[in-house]
Amino acid sequence: AALATVSGFTLDKDGLTPIPGSTRFLNAGATDAAQVRFSPDGKILVVTGRSSNRIDTFLVGKDGQLSDLKTFDPAPGGTPFGFDFDNKGHVLVSLAGVGGSSGAASYSLAADGTLSTITAPIETGQRAACWLVASKNGKFAFVANAASASVSTFAVSPSGELTYRGAVTIDGMTPLDL
């Protein structure tokens, strides 16, 4: 399989225009990405990788060019999938694989793109955690568990610590996105 890349574009009234020379490879094991998103201040690009079980970060220059790839292993056997930032800029990540089920973890993001664990992966007993969304006030995170037909709730402390609050089953539905 081909190695995964990210590329930069500018957006104007005519649409998207590629930034010349902006394509960057993800970590050596990545053949896909689950989610790509800029940090709240726009200075770091964060990429979760399902194929590599890694999280990559790049610094974003004023010209839109990416530099300084850093790769982080969120957990042995963990599969980082969806993520969001709480209102303090902590990275909250759903993990499609944690132990025998799914879960989530949280990380601080330094100005140089380094991730540091705040909350080690929490196993929830749910399966196929996909997307994660933080509430606007930063106090909760919700994870869609596709194979369990449920949504997990996590409390988020001001320091970015996660506490699993439980899951609600959605009868007859398969939550794939939030």
Side-chain angles (χ1 to χ4, degrees), residues 58-109:
F58 294 90
L59 299 182
V60 181
K62 292 182 191 286
D63 59 359
Q65 297 288 348
L66 302 177
S67 65
D68 200 24
L69 167 66
K70 288 187 177 18
T71 300
F72 182 75
D73 181 0
T79 305
F81 205 94
F83 68 95
D84 202 357
F85 295 92
D86 69 6
N87 60 356
K88 305 260 196 263
H90 303 115
V91 184
L92 313 177
V93 181
S94 67
L95 298 169
V98 178
S101 69
S102 292
S106 62
Y107 308 95
S108 62
L109 180 61

Side-chain angles (χ1 to χ4, degrees), residues 8-155:
F9 296 83
T10 57
L11 175 64
D12 59 28
K13 62 180 175 56
D14 297 321
L16 293 174
T17 304
I19 298 172
S22 68
T23 299
R24 299 289 181 267
F25 284 101
L26 299 179
N27 69 76
T31 57
D32 68 5
Q35 186 172 340
V36 178
R37 187 167 179 186
F38 291 102
S39 61
D41 65 8
K43 295 180 179 179
I44 300 171
L45 184 72
V46 179
V47 182
T48 51
R50 298 177 300 182
S51 59
S52 66
N53 294 336
R54 303 282 188 271
I55 302 172
D56 289 339
T57 65
F58 294 90
L59 299 182
V60 181
K62 292 182 191 286
D63 59 359
Q65 297 288 348
L66 302 177
S67 65
D68 200 24
L69 167 66
K70 288 187 177 18
T71 300
F72 182 75
D73 181 0
T79 305
F81 205 94
F83 68 95
D84 202 357
F85 295 92
D86 69 6
N87 60 356
K88 305 260 196 263
H90 303 115
V91 184
L92 313 177
V93 181
S94 67
L95 298 169
V98 178
S101 69
S102 292
S106 62
Y107 308 95
S108 62
L109 180 61
D112 70 352
T114 300
L115 288 171
S116 301
T117 302
I118 297 171
T119 305
I122 297 172
E123 187 173 351
T124 63
Q126 304 302 304
R127 296 187 340 266
C130 291
W131 305 110
L132 181 147
V133 173
S135 61
K136 290 199 184 292
N137 66 6
K139 293 183 178 184
F140 298 97
F142 305 96
V143 175
N145 303 299
S148 296
S150 65
V151 174
S152 295
T153 300
F154 294 85

